[in-house]
Amino acid sequence: MSTKKDKFSTEDKNFMRLALNLARARKGLTGDNPSVGCVIVKNNKLISIGQTGHNGRPHAETNAITNAFQNLQGSKIYITLEPCNHYGRTPPCTKNIIKSGISEVIYSINDIDDKVKGKSLKILTGKGVKVKTGLLRKEIIKHYDSYIINRKYKIPFITAKIAVSKNKLIYSKGTKRITNKISDKLTHYLRYKNDAIMISSKTLNIDNPKLNCRLDGYEHFSPKRIILDRKLNIRLKTNVYKTVKKNNTVIFHNSKNISKIKSLKKKGISLIRLRSINDKFDLKDIFKKLYIIGIRNLLVEGGDKLTKELLKKKLVNQFYLFESPKNLAKDKNFVSFTSRSVLKKNYKIRSNMSSKLAKDKITIYKR
């Protein structure tokens, strides 16, 4: 039996990096399950690859074994995460690995899930399979940041973003778009990578956003829309209201407006009533409820007040600050970005992630 103290070859590292890149490509798209990547090698040649399926199934190992074009006897499999070892909605991956004839398993880190954690090594070695762990551990732990938060705290991984003009405004009535088209594509990529997107009803009514993913070919990955609307002020002419479909819109409220409640429910909107304190919802409570209904990755495109509250309470896991070289007119309805000092105080710039998008600048902060 081998342990993570063993030295790994350059080839081992290269194959595991390929597995990690496969896992990264599916991150945010695998539902309750972590995004796993794996590759199978025989005689030091790649013979199959696998990723976790969309919405979490089939598992990466099953996909790789099924996709293999050679006999797997005597082969080696590289997996970013400990393979599952229990019966759930699918048979255990350890069983598939043993049955396939794979002779060596290299996985990077143990699963945080108590049903799996640390059990696979004993199962595999008990059947004569050689096991090594710990390869690219630091890189792969970073990849599973959202999964670890999901399992540990039972809340979604929170990504927030805001676009700011050169003169520090986030809204001016005369200008709808602050950032350029390239930055807008990154915004839609973030929507594609998250289960849901959250805004306040104030932002909804002022901006009238569509809150969908508009990358060509990825429209069906549009996130579920989450609206914070304490008094049910949502206007019935907004794009969000017009595009309600089954299970794609949730409103958190604290209203007793029976007629509005009936109208929204009839439209197909899910309503969750929460008590508010000092005219504010408890955001932690909202995140816990979103986790219960299956949200694992949440994008917040809030205004200044919501953004500041999230940053002050350190509820954001990563924050995208889009900065435009454009100045906006300071009309009577303009809104300034007042959270920069809170952002810099509570968050650090993620290394090597500050870059130019055409003339826009994007900086990613992490807690």
Side-chain angles (χ1 to χ4, degrees):
M1 182 185 75
S2 299
T3 70
K4 60 186 178 183
K5 290 183 179 179
D6 293 306
K7 293 181 179 180
F8 295 100
S9 69
T10 300
E11 287 79 10
D12 286 332
K13 292 175 184 178
N14 289 338
F15 286 129
M16 186 61 87
R17 275 206 181 86
L18 175 56
L20 176 56
N21 287 335
L22 290 167
R24 284 170 173 162
R26 285 283 165 86
K27 187 174 182 179
L29 306 173
T30 57
D32 289 343
N33 289 334
S35 177
V36 175
C38 72
V39 301
I40 302 178
V41 175
K42 191 170 184 178
N43 299 323
N44 217 32
K45 293 183 179 179
L46 180 69
I47 62 171
S48 190
I49 64 173
Q51 299 165 285
T52 306
H54 286 107
N55 297 318
R57 280 168 288 275
H59 291 184
E61 300 91 327
T62 298
N63 281 328
I65 290 168
T66 303
N67 294 337
F69 57 85
Q70 287 187 26
N71 185 296
L72 297 181
Q73 289 289 333
S75 63
K76 183 189 298 187
I77 188 169
Y78 296 81
I79 317 169
T80 54
L81 186 69
E82 178 182 9
C84 72
N85 48 52
H86 66 96
Y87 281 89
R89 295 182 185 178
T90 60
C93 289
T94 49
K95 182 177 181 180
N96 288 338
I97 290 169
I98 293 164
K99 186 178 178 181
S100 73
I102 291 170
S103 63
E104 184 173 354
V105 175
I106 298 178
Y107 64 86
S108 181
I109 62 173
N110 283 342
D111 196 332
I112 194 172
D113 188 338
D114 288 335
K115 296 191 295 291
V116 179
K117 187 176 182 180
K119 299 173 185 175
S120 297
L121 188 146
K122 184 177 180 180
I123 291 170
L124 291 168
T125 55
K127 294 294 183 178
V129 179
K130 185 178 180 181
V131 178
K132 294 181 183 179
T133 67
L135 179 56
L136 301 188
R137 179 179 176 80
K138 289 183 179 179
E139 291 178 50
I140 288 174
I141 282 178
K142 287 180 182 178
H143 165 71
Y144 287 110
D145 54 0
S146 56
Y147 175 63
I148 291 168
I149 284 171
N150 291 162
R151 292 298 170 124
K152 191 172 182 179
Y153 301 107
K154 307 299 181 187
I155 57 173
F157 184 86
I158 311 298
T159 300
K161 68 165 287 284
I162 205 161
V164 184
S165 69
K166 186 177 180 180
N167 56 338
K168 314 306 179 190
L169 303 188
I170 63 171
Y171 176 78
S172 175
K173 189 174 182 180
T175 307
K176 286 278 186 179
R177 175 177 285 165
I178 297 176
T179 52
N180 61 39
K181 291 182 179 180
I182 298 176
S183 294
D184 289 349
K185 285 187 177 182
L186 177 55
T187 293
H188 287 284
Y189 177 78
L190 290 174
R191 292 178 181 182
Y192 156 67
K193 281 290 194 176
N194 283 271
D195 306 315
I197 179 171
M198 187 173 83
I199 65 171
S200 68
S201 59
K202 183 178 179 180
T203 297
L204 177 68
N205 289 332
I206 291 174
D207 291 348
N208 192 23
K210 294 180 180 179
L211 300 184
N212 59 355
C213 175
R214 295 194 289 279
L215 295 176
D216 290 343
Y218 292 88
E219 294 85 355
H220 62 293
F221 286 102
S222 290
K224 189 186 293 282
R225 294 90 62 89
I226 313 297
I227 315 300
L228 305 184
D229 190 2
R230 195 169 53 84
K231 295 182 179 180
L232 289 181
N233 289 325
I234 181 174
R235 293 175 184 166
L236 307 188
K237 293 183 178 180
T238 58
N239 288 318
V240 167
Y241 184 82
K242 291 177 182 177
T243 56
V244 170
K245 297 177 183 178
K246 185 179 180 181
N247 298 323
N248 83 331
T249 309
V250 177
I251 295 180
F252 287 92
H253 74 101
N254 186 26
S255 172
K256 296 180 181 179
N257 187 334
I258 302 301
S259 61
K260 190 74 173 279
I261 290 171
K262 286 182 178 179
S263 176
L264 295 173
K265 283 185 176 180
K266 187 177 180 180
K267 182 68 175 176
I269 296 173
S270 299
L271 295 176
I272 300 177
R273 187 172 179 180
L274 287 179
R275 67 189 185 95
S276 58
I277 301 173
N278 297 324
D279 296 333
K280 289 183 179 180
F281 289 128
D282 183 335
L283 292 172
K284 286 185 180 179
D285 193 24
I286 286 174
F287 296 154
K288 287 177 182 177
K289 292 188 182 303
L290 289 176
Y291 183 87
I292 290 170
I293 64 173
I295 305 303
R296 297 295 178 265
N297 295 280
L298 176 68
L299 176 64
V300 182
E301 293 190 14
D304 188 61
K305 288 183 179 179
L306 178 57
T307 297
K308 182 175 283 188
E309 185 175 0
L310 286 166
L311 294 175
K312 274 186 174 181
K313 294 182 178 179
K314 300 182 181 179
L315 297 176
V316 176
N317 300 111
Q318 61 180 2
F319 187 89
Y320 284 70
L321 177 63
F322 291 79
E323 296 177 275
S324 168
K326 182 190 303 183
N327 282 315
L328 299 187
K330 289 191 174 182
D331 54 42
K332 64 178 181 179
N333 296 311
F334 79 87
V335 179
S336 297
F337 178 54
T338 64
S339 307
R340 186 182 293 269
S341 60
V342 180
L343 176 62
K344 290 184 176 181
K345 179 182 177 182
N346 291 339
Y347 293 81
K348 294 181 179 179
I349 294 176
R350 183 175 172 178
S351 59
N352 301 319
M353 293 303 291
S354 181
S355 59
K356 296 271 186 176
L357 289 178
K359 292 185 179 180
D360 290 342
K361 179 184 177 182
I362 174 174
T363 306
I364 303 176
Y365 292 83
K366 297 207 80 171
R367 198 167 60 189

